[in-house]
Structure formats: structure tokens, C-alpha cells
Amino acid sequence: MDIRKELENKIYEMEQVAKLFNVEPFDIYFLGGSACVLGGYTERATRDFDFVDIEYSSHLGKVFVQLRDFDMLEYESTILSPRYKERAIKLDKFEYLNIYILSVEDIIVSKIIRLGQKDIQDIDELIKIADIEKIEIIIKEVLDRRDLYDSKKSEFLRKLPLFRERYHV
């Protein structure tokens, strides 16, 4: 089975559990490698899910566990624009839960803080289909955030010149 189908199946299972337990439909915003695969941005092999914690209730744990390997990312410690939801793309193939993936540009900016080997490989692919002007806007929005942890903002600022030099942004 290909990676995309495998990821989609885990989300379908999550939907089934949500229905079984009469959990009201909710939004989930994926980023990172799983979002890239689900959105068809890249084909990198990944089986983990990264998503933004939008203050989920603890009773949703039984739904999220269906993803098996996941990271729920605290907004205040994640390099995201406050407007990421506006650019997110809803995946209509999921009918019960509201499944979104972040835009290519939001994913690129979220990876700047690390710039590890996998991040660079991802950005090398994503930059080909990205809107550079949007990336600039998102970087400014991130830098304007007052709720981003200082340590995260400092590391982002430290890596930003490397990103700009490599990708001419």
C-alpha cells in the first residue's frame, strides 16, 4: 500500500471511532510530512502525523490514538502565522471530520526553525510549487506574533538568513 493511502486509512479509522463514540465533528490542521503527502505536495515516506493543538478536549484522545504516531503541536511553540487557517486546504474526501492541510507556504515557513536534512529536502521540493510572495508575508506574520515563545522566535530568526540565502527569499 502506498504511503498516502496508509495515512488516509488512519484518518478514516479516526472518523469511524469519532462516529462510534458520538464525538461531534471537529477541525484538525495537519502540517509537516503527513500534510505534504496528503496534499500531494511530495511523496516522502512518513507515517507520523503532526497537527496543531487548537485546544482539544481530552475526550478526543480516543479518536487521536487511531493515528498511532502523532505529535500535537502547541500553537505558542510552533512557527505558524496567526492566519494559517485561512490558507489551509480542506480535504473533501473525509466526510465526518474537518481535515485540513496547511498551505505549501505555511509548511515551508514552519520548517525554517529546524532546517535539518529532511526539512531541507522537503523545502527543496516544496519551493518549486510555492508562491514566494506568500512566504514573505507568512514570515512577517510569524515575526509579528506576540504569543510565540521567545526561544522559538530567536531560533527562527537565527535560521532565517540561511533559508533566505539558500532559497533566494
Side-chain angles (χ1 to χ4, degrees):
M1 180 182 307
D2 72 21
I3 295 295
R4 186 175 185 170
K5 281 285 179 213
E6 192 175 316
L7 296 176
E8 288 173 350
N9 285 339
K10 288 180 182 179
I11 297 171
Y12 286 130
E13 289 172 13
M14 191 172 79
E15 284 191 311
Q16 296 308 311
V17 168
K19 288 179 192 176
L20 180 69
F21 286 104
N22 293 315
V23 172
E24 287 292 316
F26 59 90
D27 296 346
I28 185 165
Y29 292 86
F30 289 110
L31 65 154
S34 59
C36 290
V37 172
L38 289 167
Y41 303 156
T42 65
E43 295 182 11
R44 178 167 73 88
T46 186
R47 286 179 172 78
D48 68 316
F49 291 88
D50 297 319
F51 59 94
V52 183
D53 181 359
I54 52 176
E55 300 183 10
Y56 294 110
S57 170
S58 61
H59 81 278
L60 296 180
K62 59 186 160 240
V63 177
F64 290 132
V65 76
Q66 302 308 307
L67 297 176
R68 294 174 196 54
D69 187 11
F70 69 88
D71 286 317
M72 190 182 309
L73 306 171
E74 181 182 29
Y75 176 72
E76 293 80 9
S77 68
T78 305
I79 302 299
L80 288 175
S81 157
R83 299 181 57 206
Y84 73 93
K85 290 181 182 178
E86 296 171 27
R87 290 182 290 269
I89 300 155
K90 188 171 190 305
L91 299 181
D92 293 328
K93 65 176 44 181
F94 303 102
E95 297 176 358
Y96 189 72
L97 300 177
N98 302 311
I99 306 297
Y100 296 90
I101 56 170
L102 268 56
S103 72
V104 169
E105 295 82 11
D106 282 292
I107 291 172
I108 289 171
V109 173
S110 75
K111 290 178 171 289
I112 293 173
I113 193 169
R114 290 186 26 204
L115 287 184
Q117 188 59 34
K118 280 186 179 180
D119 301 299
I120 289 171
Q121 289 171 348
D122 288 344
I123 295 171
D124 286 349
E125 288 299 309
L126 298 173
I127 203 80
K128 296 173 189 174
I129 58 172
D131 179 331
I132 300 300
E133 289 178 21
K134 274 188 192 174
I135 292 173
E136 286 286 0
I137 291 166
I138 294 166
I139 289 170
K140 182 179 180 338
E141 291 170 352
V142 167
L143 292 173
D144 288 344
R145 279 184 56 189
R146 295 179 185 262
D147 59 351
L148 183 61
Y149 292 147
D150 289 339
S151 61
K152 298 294 183 173
K153 189 178 276 189
S154 294
E155 187 62 15
F156 181 72
L157 282 167
R158 192 173 79 76
K159 297 282 178 70
L160 191 55
L162 301 170
F163 170 79
R164 289 190 184 282
E165 182 180 332
R166 181 175 177 105
Y167 298 104
H168 309 290
V169 177

